Amino acid sequence: MVTIGVLALQGDVDEHVRALENSGARAVKVRRPCELAKVDGLIIPGGESTTMSNLLASFDMFEPLKDRLDAGLPAWGTCAGMIMLSSTILDGRDDQKCFATLDMVVRRNAFGRQVDSYEEDLVIDGIEGDDFRAVFIRAPWVESVGDTVSVIARAGNAEDGPIVAVRQGNVMATSFHPEVGGDDRLHELFVSMVENR
């Protein structure tokens, strides 16, 4: 059984832990570098990306996490986690840091403010069965991706719709919150990615 950490500085940590356990993984909360060293994969949950960047620095976690990601740690970022994994952030603060794990440009709060949050059913490459109910909360979207990044979902299921889910090797990012909808298929996909790396 693989051990997958959930970065537990803010966001829907308990919801991700539950979904991982439902998907056959051992789930642990990660707040310190010593905990990070014991995981086979990591979810960076939603929250607020600037605050998350500052908390990572305050907990002396930014550099150890960047080192693990650069060494090939499987990772999945949801919402703010997507922003943290990007190589370039649009509409971010000047002091905001990201891991540059995924070769993509992300726009913060691209779908609008809190009142513009919404849900929709998405077709996601790699997910079989019914469309996936995606919950967008002050969500980012991906403006562009590099050659090695695969787009696995777009808003509105439109060919030219905003990019809302990507994968590059054993790293995945979604601009929505799959942990809140009760559908664990994306968590199952990530567990499988970690198991088969």
Side-chain angles (χ1 to χ4, degrees):
M1 179 183 291
V2 293
T3 300
I4 299 180
V6 180
L7 186 64
L9 302 180
Q10 67 167 179
D12 290 337
V13 175
D14 291 333
E15 291 83 352
H16 277 295
V17 165
R18 177 205 50 79
L20 285 169
E21 290 172 344
N22 289 346
S23 301
R26 179 181 303 109
V28 296
K29 297 177 183 179
V30 173
R31 290 186 184 92
R32 296 185 293 276
C34 63
E35 296 163 340
L36 179 62
K38 299 175 184 176
V39 300
D40 302 307
L42 182 74
I43 292 178
I44 303 173
E48 201 287 316
S49 58
T50 307
T51 302
M52 190 176 295
S53 175
N54 292 336
L55 287 170
L56 283 162
S58 296
F59 280 76
D60 294 323
M61 280 287 289
F62 190 90
E63 291 305 326
L65 180 47
K66 178 149 180 54
D67 290 346
R68 286 284 326 261
L69 291 168
D70 290 348
L73 178 72
W76 174 20
T78 63
C79 198
M82 170 186 262
I83 296 167
M84 295 300 301
L85 289 173
S86 70
S87 53
T88 305
I89 303 170
L90 301 178
D91 298 332
R93 286 181 28 168
D94 292 339
D95 61 345
Q96 187 170 358
K97 296 169 68 175
C98 58
F99 294 114
T101 306
L102 288 166
D103 183 11
M104 64 182 182
V105 177
V106 172
R107 183 173 300 279
R108 290 177 72 240
N109 301 329
F111 285 98
R113 304 190 65 72
Q114 191 80 20
V115 296
D116 300 309
S117 300
Y118 77 103
E119 300 178 21
E120 73 168 292
D121 294 326
L122 292 178
V123 174
I124 301 175
D125 289 347
I127 301 295
E128 296 181 7
D130 295 338
D131 291 354
F132 191 95
R133 188 69 173 171
V135 178
F136 293 84
I137 305 170
R138 290 182 59 207
W141 69 43
V142 178
E143 294 269 326
S144 63
V145 297
D147 293 339
T148 59
V149 178
S150 298
V151 174
I152 61 173
R154 290 180 177 268
N157 298 315
E159 190 174 313
D160 60 349
I163 300 168
V164 295
V166 297
R167 182 174 175 184
Q168 181 178 355
N170 61 5
V171 180
M172 183 168 66
T174 55
S175 61
F176 50 90
H177 290 264
E179 73 280 4
V180 299
D183 185 338
D184 296 332
R185 288 179 293 166
L186 272 170
H187 288 81
E188 292 167 6
L189 174 62
F190 184 60
V191 170
S192 175
M193 288 167 54
V194 175
E195 289 172 339
N196 296 314
R197 69 181 179 119

